[in-house]
Amino acid sequence: MIEVTDDQFEHLINESMDELPQEYIRNMKNVAVTFADEPSPEQLQKQKLHHGQTLLGLYEGIPLTKRGAGYSLVLPDKITLFKGPLSRYSFDHAGFKKQIKHTLWHEIAHHFGLDHDRIRELENK
């Protein structure tokens, strides 16, 4: 397990955002990137996780591909990275940063309307 402060974790998230393809970062619309120590019971229940599974990150909102002409005056979508699960999933700081970046990219892909199958397909190329 990796130990980091909230400030260090936020810095790693910001670094990861800077390292991801900027055309995607620039084209994110009405989305906030944040973090929490752990997923809430409601977030876990909503994802229908099986016993022993956890969330490293979560996208909550309306993907760009589902937004219609009536999409206005809504709260921002939210991407949350979970510090506890990410730190437990990592063995060293390099792996921790790599996992943050990978999880962030995965959640951003959901914002752009990609499902898990399409994300895996793109990652395997």
Side-chain angles (χ1 to χ4, degrees):
M1 181 170 153
I2 304 299
E3 296 285 333
V4 294
T5 66
D6 286 350
D7 286 342
Q8 291 168 324
F9 190 59
E10 185 173 22
H11 180 74
L12 289 169
I13 292 169
N14 290 333
E15 278 185 355
S16 295
M17 292 272 296
D18 290 344
E19 294 171 7
L20 289 171
Q22 291 303 296
E23 63 270 18
Y24 291 99
I25 303 301
R26 282 190 304 273
N27 289 310
M28 289 172 49
K29 304 281 190 242
N30 197 32
V31 60
V33 177
T34 187
F35 68 91
D37 288 333
E38 299 287 337
S40 71
E42 295 81 18
Q43 288 169 320
L44 292 170
Q45 182 181 19
K46 188 175 178 181
Q47 296 304 305
K48 299 177 182 158
L49 296 180
H50 301 291
H51 181 71
Q53 290 181 310
T54 191
L55 291 173
L56 302 178
L58 181 63
Y59 169 73
E60 298 172 287
I62 301 169
L64 292 176
T65 55
K66 304 275 188 201
R67 296 179 184 180
Y71 181 85
S72 63
L73 301 173
V74 297
L75 291 173
D77 293 359
K78 185 163 86 168
I79 292 173
T80 307
L81 298 182
F82 300 107
K83 186 169 80 168
L86 283 162
S87 69
R88 290 189 295 274
Y89 195 79
S90 304
F91 299 105
D92 59 27
H93 283 280
F96 183 54
K97 183 176 179 191
K98 184 177 178 181
Q99 190 59 54
I100 291 169
K101 186 175 173 180
H102 180 266
T103 302
L104 182 59
W105 174 246
H106 183 98
E107 303 312 328
I108 289 170
H110 286 311
H111 173 68
F112 284 98
L114 301 179
D115 63 16
H116 287 109
D117 291 337
R118 182 68 176 135
I119 293 168
R120 275 195 282 294
E121 180 183 315
L122 291 171
E123 288 174 342
N124 289 331
K125 288 186 176 183

